[in-house]
């Protein structure tokens, strides 16, 4: 599909039902078998995402134009107050939800098949990676995947070059230091850093 055809397809009931089925399956926590129908959706959505992100990243867009492209990429309504400095990369795009006043800085990569939810006021720094997929550890089944959602709470600040892994929730007001790799949940109003990330201190509010 071209970007224009993708835009027209947003009101297609058959496509809407497919995306609903995809999101419901991913929310179930069931594994994604190599070659399954859901896995084939991964491939289809990735090609669509490549087209849309190439448009986002390939030239300047006004904030209004960028907002339209993000709604097309994420295939849902996006608050007008959401901000982004491209480039931005994703290999799916159909399972990201962002709240009011979220800001996503340059170079971020969202692997959102398992679901990414970013609550209002969160700041996502340069080159942050949000990764919701793990491959099967058995080499004979390495192409199969398990997915788990990432949830980023209100007013969280994630520093540059941090990575947040599948299944992690970051509590409201928390800070993830630059370069951290977050492998487990972060309590609210807490600073974490390092590889793997550990608690540095609590934030007094």
């Amino acid at each position: 599909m071209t970007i224009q055809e993708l835009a027209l397809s947003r009101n297609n009931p058959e496509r809407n039902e497919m995306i609903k089925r995809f999101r419901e399956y991913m929310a179930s926590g069931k594994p994604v078998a190599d070659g399954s129908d859901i896995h084939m959706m991964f491939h289809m959505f990735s090609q669509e995402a490549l087209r849309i992100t190439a448009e986002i990243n390939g030239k300047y867009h006004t904030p209004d134009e960028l907002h339209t492209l993000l709604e097309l990429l994420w295939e849902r309504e996006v608050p007008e107050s959401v901000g982004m400095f491209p480039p931005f990369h994703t290999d799916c795009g159909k399972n990201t939800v962002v709240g009011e006043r979220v800001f996503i800085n340059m170079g971020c990569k969202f692997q959102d098949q398992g679901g990414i939810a970013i609550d209002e006021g969160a700041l996502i720094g340069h080159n942050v990676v949000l990764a919701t997929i793990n491959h099967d550890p058995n080499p004979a089944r390495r192409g199969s995947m398990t997915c788990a959602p990432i949830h980023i709470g209100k007013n969280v600040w994630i520093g540059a070059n941090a990575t947040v892994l599948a299944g992690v929730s970051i509590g409201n007001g928390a800070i993830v230091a630059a370069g951290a790799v977050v492998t487990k949940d972060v309590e609210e109003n807490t600073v974490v850093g390092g590889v793997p990330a550990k608690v540095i201190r609590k934030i007094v509010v």
Side-chain angles (χ1 to χ4, degrees):
M1 282 188 180
T2 66
I3 289 178
Q4 290 75 19
E5 288 170 336
L6 283 170
L8 290 172
S9 74
R10 289 190 68 196
N11 296 318
N12 182 317
E14 184 176 327
R15 179 177 173 84
N16 292 343
E17 182 60 31
M18 177 186 64
I19 290 174
K20 178 183 176 184
R21 183 162 67 91
F22 170 76
R23 290 171 176 163
E24 287 176 348
Y25 186 92
M26 299 314 299
S28 74
K30 296 176 183 176
V32 178
D34 188 16
S36 65
D37 287 347
I38 295 296
H39 194 198
M40 292 303 100
M41 287 186 192
F42 279 25
H43 288 292
M44 183 184 73
F45 293 149
S46 70
Q47 293 304 304
E48 294 176 1
L50 288 172
R51 289 184 178 92
I52 299 167
T53 54
E55 177 66 25
I56 289 172
N57 301 331
K59 61 183 179 181
Y60 171 75
H61 295 281
T62 67
D64 286 345
E65 291 169 343
L66 181 57
H67 179 266
T68 298
L69 287 166
L70 289 176
E71 288 198 332
L72 183 59
L73 176 64
W74 291 333
E75 208 129 343
R76 63 175 85 239
E77 291 186 5
V78 176
E80 295 283 351
S81 58
V82 169
M84 175 185 287
F85 285 169
F88 174 75
H89 302 277
T90 180
D91 56 359
C92 180
K94 305 308 180 193
N95 215 4
T96 294
V97 181
V98 298
E100 297 280 354
R101 303 185 315 282
V102 166
F103 181 73
I104 300 167
N105 220 321
M106 294 179 180
C108 290
K109 299 175 179 67
F110 287 11
Q111 185 192 58
D112 72 329
Q113 288 88 339
I116 292 173
I118 305 176
D119 290 345
E120 61 187 70
L123 305 176
I124 314 299
H126 290 83
N127 302 316
V128 166
V129 175
L130 306 181
T132 66
I133 293 178
N134 284 307
H135 286 277
D136 195 306
N138 185 330
R141 298 193 300 270
R142 190 58 52 82
S144 296
M145 292 163 278
T146 57
C147 304
I150 290 172
H151 176 223
I152 296 171
K154 296 178 182 178
N155 301 313
V156 166
W157 174 19
I158 301 183
N161 296 299
T163 298
V164 181
L165 299 184
V168 168
S169 292
I170 299 177
N172 296 340
I175 297 174
V176 175
V181 176
V182 187
T183 61
K184 59 184 180 180
D185 291 353
V186 178
E187 294 183 1
E188 66 178 21
N189 298 319
T190 301
V191 181
V192 299
V195 181
K198 297 185 181 345
V199 174
I200 296 173
R201 64 182 175 85
K202 296 291 289 185
I203 299 170
V204 179
V205 295

